[in-house]
Amino acid sequence: MEKTEPVKLTSLTTKGGCGCKIGPADLAEVLRNLPIATPNPNLLVGLDTSDDAGVYKLTDEIAMVQTLDFFTPIVDDPYDFGQIAATNAISDIYAMGGTPITALNIVAFPIATLDKKILSEILRGSGDKLTEAGVTLVGGHSIDDQEPKFGLAVTGTVHPDKVRTNAGAQPGDKILLTKPIGVGIYTTSLKNGLLSKDEIVYVTKVMTTLNKTAAETMASYDVHAATDVTGFGLLGHASEIAKASGVGIRIIANQVPTLPRTKELADAGKVPGGTKNNFAHVADVVSYPETMDQSDRWILCDAVTSGGLLIALPEVQADRLLGELQHKGVDARIIGEVTEENSGRITVE
Ligand code: CO
Ligand code: CO
């Protein structure tokens, strides 16, 4: 048999990136301003609060949580890419306090030019993550396209009284983050051949870690607000909580966990365009310390794929949740707090 070089999936893409529910900031604004025909009282969470997923009440006991996400390959291994896409898509259900139940595949693939085995591996990776999350694949749709894209629409359930949205954070709450940031800078560096094998394994591990344990653990706490850190970056998603809750948020920069070489790679210029867009997008609502250099500011805005949960909960419960998460192997940290002053704003210290 003829031996061929494995295809580098990330070299096939023109533009990558994952947003939360409705994509990059500029596009999200268009989608969010869709005219809504008739307000429906069963729609508990819709487009207006920039939440992770839509929530629709079916009965007094059950609401349906729906989300969709797909993107171009951000790693070269197709199995890993499938796992990342599934972990990322399911995460928005966890971020709403829901339990994921079913999923549909969304596939775009250049069937004439790429080996079908690549697609099989993407689907196998995704399937393994769905199994781990207890999610049943019920179907999907595929089209022939110039570059590969993959993702899923995921449906879950939640009790209508237990929905965790961006709104509800209260002054005095602590802010927890359950995964390190720097993923966008790492995947850009990967594309440029700057990561070691171990570093690729590590960032892949971060992106393929389900937020299942974090979500199930936070379920027994009095969580006031939650989201997951994805395309808009830590400060982008934190500002959504600040805005929706009508509070200020203080982020202690040196408490924010980052992947080991994030600063070095950012200083070397490996900052993705999406991260710089995020930085510009939140510039009006974020105050940084004057002495903070530009690459540290970009890191806090770094566009993440399949990031951790960002959780606001009462100070008296924060240490206990932190301890329980760390005990279960979740890389959680307390990274800030909610303030009454500076409503809608983020203060980085
Ligand atoms: Co998303
Ligand atoms: Co999200």
Side-chain angles (χ1 to χ4, degrees), residues 173-179 214 217-218 221 223 225-229 234 241 249-251 255 257 308-315 317-326 330-338:
D173 284 356
K174 290 287 178 188
I175 300 282
L176 259 87
L177 176 65
T178 68
K179 282 189 192 182
T217 307
M218 81 170 178
Y221 288 78
V223 168
T227 188
D228 58 348
V229 174
L234 173 63
I241 290 183
I249 291 179
R250 266 182 56 203
I251 300 284
Q255 304 288 333
L309 297 182
L310 190 64
I311 301 165
L313 84 167
E315 183 176 12
Q317 295 185 8
D319 282 333
R320 194 156 55 83
L321 174 58
L322 180 72
E324 195 178 339
L325 287 170
Q326 289 178 341
V330 178
D331 191 4
R333 313 278 173 86
I334 292 173
I335 63 161
E337 62 187 16
V338 178

Side-chain angles (χ1 to χ4, degrees), residues 18-23 52 67-69 71 88-89 92 228 230-231:
C18 158
C20 210
K21 188 161 122 177
I22 41 181
D52 300 286
T67 185
L68 179 164
D69 212 335
F71 44 87
N88 177 73
D92 279 330
D228 58 348
T230 53

